Amino acid sequence: MSQGAQGPLALLTADSEHNLDVLRRGLRRAASFAFYVILAADAARAEVLRRLRAWSGSGGVPALRFFAEGAEGAEEVARFLAVADRTHPLAGAVIPDGVALVETDGGAVVASLNMARDVLGKLIRGPLVLVIAADRAAELSGMAPDLFDVRAATLEIASVPGDPAPTFALNSAETRDRPQARSQAELQAEAARLRAFADDQIPAGSLADAWIRLGHAFFDAAELGEARAAAEEARRLAEGVGYTSGVGDALALEAQVLEQTGPAEAWEQALRRALTLHREAGEPVWTAVDLWRLGRAVAFLGRPEEAEGLLREAIGLYEKLGDARGRAIALGDIADTLEYRGQLDESLRIRQEALPVYERLGDARSRAVTLSKIAGVLLARGKLDEALHLLEHEVLPAFERLGDVRGKLVCQTNMAIVHLERGAPGDREAAAELLRSAGRDAEHLRVPEAAMIRELRRNAGLDP
């Protein structure tokens, strides 16, 4: 899935929200090439990019290609103009850093864009959005007068005066980047700032989004009560203005809290309502995420066949969206349900199918987790030597390279279990050493595995 725009997010002025509505309608209507210039800087610019990424490929907006930022992005635009395949034009594109275009190579990329004005429609069949700070727009216009002549619109986006809201990205299928953790005092101060806005001072939809972002930050900080309160406030605001996808986002956050606190019935209900609303809003990305989350929940609640159906529906959407990682994750969850039902061969086949995807994506952690689960299937089938070889030579080194101490200790515990079950000469001693190492790390981290390791050592008679 697309990563969120980097930098501080912001509450936008009412005029800016109106301009973003104009832009979104324009993106939906763009049946041919249309050029939009967005004047925004700092926090407002980050919020514009976040909105564009959220809109991309859903609700009638075409899938947008986002060029990189800085000098790298300018060079990427130059390469695109030089070698673009006119037989396969982009559905739409975003140049997020217009300032870099002006400053790189003396504006050579801007000159190339200007000269390409008449052929841009063959390279991009839909909208091209360029974001630049307002104080540099005149400079860009002077360097590319022909391009500016064909603008569909120039729209200014500004944030509400005052401190910007923190960088809180809504999470998708475990793929969104998270900001650095903020202190409880900082989060409480942000909550107080949001509560201080009068109902008519900030558009309710924008304020709902800010509460959702703050709720995710509270959730990441394990402040579950505050996270749920933020979700409820966001839902109240979104419902008041008929902001359907915002209500769905708030319910999805509420479901994350309920997953940890219960009751299970409320958790499932929140997920189902979020799914319904995201479908109604025409949000395929979030619909896929909701299907995936609901499938996992239903599996946890002991209904594996229903879970498999939901997960397969999610996979279908991920395939349409071209989201290889989301598809691989959902496939892994189907493999879990098949393993639970005793269909070990099919479970193993699916996990092996997912491995090349993680390798192509360079996702070493997901690859290691998948290999660990493959080892579990091999263990269940009685292939102890194969399971141990995989854990020792593939999984453990991967977690060590990643510096993932918890992954390492879990792997060591699984290796110890294989040694104890195999019972060959030296296995008992190897298991004892693995459990000592894993136990030390688990006690240091204070993770739940610590109690399991102590119990395993007692049952095996390996206590000192």
Side-chain angles (χ1 to χ4, degrees):
M1 296 208 176
S2 302
Q3 293 180 346
Q6 300 300 306
L9 299 177
L11 293 174
L12 302 179
T13 64
D15 285 345
S16 297
E17 288 291 346
H18 170 74
N19 286 343
L20 282 176
D21 284 341
V22 171
L23 175 62
R24 190 172 189 179
R25 288 196 298 272
L27 298 181
R28 286 170 169 167
R29 290 196 302 264
S32 58
F33 176 75
F35 180 47
Y36 292 88
V37 176
I38 305 302
L39 308 180
D42 302 324
R45 171 180 169 275
E47 179 65 7
V48 168
L49 295 177
R50 186 186 74 83
R51 300 281 185 100
L52 287 168
R53 291 185 187 277
W55 297 343
S56 177
S58 65
V61 176
L64 303 172
R65 170 180 171 177
F66 285 77
F67 289 95
E69 302 193 26
E72 178 187 351
E75 293 169 3
E76 188 181 352
V77 172
R79 287 195 300 272
F80 169 74
L81 294 173
V83 302
D85 182 357
R86 299 186 184 189
T87 62
H88 298 91
L90 299 178
V94 176
I95 299 175
D97 192 354
V99 173
L101 294 190
V102 171
E103 295 180 345
T104 300
D105 293 335
V109 182
V110 177
S112 296
L113 270 173
N114 191 56
M115 288 187 290
R117 183 195 74 171
D118 294 332
V119 299
L120 281 175
K122 297 179 181 179
L123 307 181
I124 305 170
R125 66 172 182 267
L128 170 62
V129 181
L130 185 148
V131 184
I132 188 170
D135 61 356
R136 305 298 295 271
E139 189 175 355
L140 180 68
S141 174
M143 298 168 71
D146 297 330
L147 181 63
F148 264 62
D149 283 347
V150 297
R151 280 170 297 160
T154 298
L155 301 165
E156 186 166 8
I157 309 298
S159 59
V160 173
D163 294 334
T167 311
F168 299 138
L170 291 175
N171 69 328
S172 66
E174 313 303 327
T175 63
R176 296 289 181 96
D177 290 337
R178 289 295 194 187
Q180 290 186 341
R182 294 166 64 91
S183 70
Q184 185 179 27
E186 288 175 310
L187 296 177
Q188 293 291 353
E190 179 61 22
R193 189 176 79 90
L194 295 183
R195 291 190 187 99
F197 288 112
D199 286 348
D200 59 351
Q201 189 173 356
I202 300 294
S206 182
L207 199 54
D209 286 341
W211 275 110
I212 290 168
R213 294 193 294 270
L214 181 59
H216 279 285
F218 274 124
F219 183 83
D220 289 343
E223 296 287 344
L224 300 184
E226 295 285 1
R228 185 166 184 183
E232 290 172 348
E233 177 63 11
R235 180 151 57 95
R236 181 189 71 81
L237 289 162
E239 286 175 340
V241 293
Y243 178 20
T244 303
S245 63
V247 178
D249 293 342
L251 284 165
L253 171 57
E254 191 172 335
Q256 286 185 271
V257 176
L258 289 167
E259 180 178 359
Q260 296 197 24
T261 65
E265 295 80 4
W267 171 34
E268 182 180 349
Q269 182 183 36
L271 285 170
R272 290 190 182 279
R273 290 180 62 198
L275 171 60
T276 298
L277 291 169
H278 283 138
R279 281 192 200 275
E280 289 178 1
E283 299 280 0
V285 173
W286 293 111
T287 299
V289 172
D290 291 338
L291 284 165
W292 168 70
R293 286 178 172 161
L294 183 58
R296 294 182 65 171
V298 167
F300 178 82
L301 295 173
R303 306 199 305 271
E305 292 184 4
E306 182 184 353
E308 184 178 346
L310 290 162
L311 291 167
R312 290 198 182 280
E313 188 177 353
I315 286 169
L317 269 180
Y318 283 132
E319 288 173 346
K320 289 180 181 177
L321 293 165
D323 187 343
R325 189 172 190 274
R327 178 182 181 275
I329 290 171
L331 274 172
D333 290 319
I334 286 179
D336 287 342
T337 67
L338 293 170
E339 185 175 345
Y340 175 83
R341 292 157 63 184
Q343 297 174 246
L344 299 182
D345 289 345
E346 182 64 8
S347 173
L348 182 61
R349 185 193 66 76
I350 287 176
R351 294 197 197 285
Q352 290 171 334
E353 179 184 340
L355 276 178
V357 177
Y358 293 130
E359 289 165 358
R360 286 197 301 272
L361 294 172
D363 188 344
R365 178 171 281 101
S366 294
R367 180 180 182 275
V369 169
T370 301
L371 284 169
S372 180
K373 291 186 174 183
I374 288 174
V377 174
L378 293 172
L379 174 61
R381 295 172 65 184
K383 298 186 176 183
L384 305 184
D385 292 342
E386 291 182 41
L388 185 59
H389 184 274
L390 195 57
L391 290 169
E392 184 176 0
H393 296 284
E394 292 278 1
V395 180
L396 184 60
F399 284 128
E400 288 175 336
R401 285 193 297 271
L402 290 165
D404 186 338
V405 179
R406 190 171 186 180
K408 174 187 170 186
L409 73 88
V410 169
C411 181
Q412 288 175 319
T413 303
N414 289 333
M415 289 169 63
I417 291 171
V418 179
H419 277 297
L420 290 171
E421 188 162 335
R422 188 172 66 174
D427 274 343
R428 186 174 177 80
E429 292 78 10
E433 179 56 37
L434 286 163
L435 290 175
R436 275 194 293 271
S437 175
R440 282 194 300 268
D441 286 336
E443 297 289 350
H444 177 71
L445 293 176
R446 298 181 180 180
V447 291
E449 288 84 0
M452 185 192 78
I453 292 168
R454 288 195 298 270
E455 183 68 18
L456 186 59
R457 293 177 68 182
R458 278 195 297 270
N459 289 343
L462 296 176
D463 275 341

